[in-house]
Amino acid sequence: MALKITEECINCDVCEPVCPNQAIFMGEQIYEINPNLCTECVGHFEIPQCVDICPIDCIPKDEKYVETNDQLYQKYLQLSKKESK
Ligand code: SF4
Ligand code: SF4
């Protein structure tokens, strides 16, 4: 399941650089997560790095993008392939 950033985000900028998949970007008002790139950090880290670092805890799971751990791992493998091209 991809994660999402809620409107409580204070644009503190600390999550964007810690994402191993470059899934976090500045949207129109607040930071956003590209669900196609977010693997919940599966393949890179044990826990989601953005959630770990966010000072106000505004990054829940996005129920619109239900994925199993295995699917997240497959996504990670696909993204790694693209990166190495
Ligand atoms: Fe990036 Fe990991 Fe956060 Fe997903 S959970 S947005 S991959 S840091
Ligand atoms: Fe927003 Fe949290 Fe990211 Fe800071 S760490 S920019 S508050 S989502």
Side-chain angles (χ1 to χ4, degrees), residues 5 9-15 31 54-56 58-59:
I5 294 173
C9 171
I10 54 170
N11 291 338
C12 71
D13 303 332
V14 297
C15 58
Y31 277 89
C54 179
I56 59 161
C58 68
I59 317 181

Side-chain angles (χ1 to χ4, degrees), residues 1 39 42 67-77:
M1 194 149 13
T39 63
V42 167
E67 291 160 299
T68 63
N69 249 38
D70 194 47
Q71 284 171 317
L72 289 167
Y73 189 67
Q74 292 304 322
K75 195 198 267 187
Y76 157 74
L77 291 179

Side-chain angles (χ1 to χ4, degrees), residues 11 13 16 24-32:
N11 291 338
D13 303 332
E16 192 261 331
I24 302 176
F25 64 97
M26 188 65 203
E28 274 184 35
Q29 308 274 340
I30 52 168
Y31 277 89
E32 294 178 26

Side-chain angles (χ1 to χ4, degrees), residues 3 18-21 23-24 33 37-41 48-50:
L3 303 187
V18 301
C19 177
N21 296 320
I24 302 176
I33 293 176
L37 297 180
C38 176
T39 63
E40 282 190 50
C41 285
Q49 299 296 290
C50 56

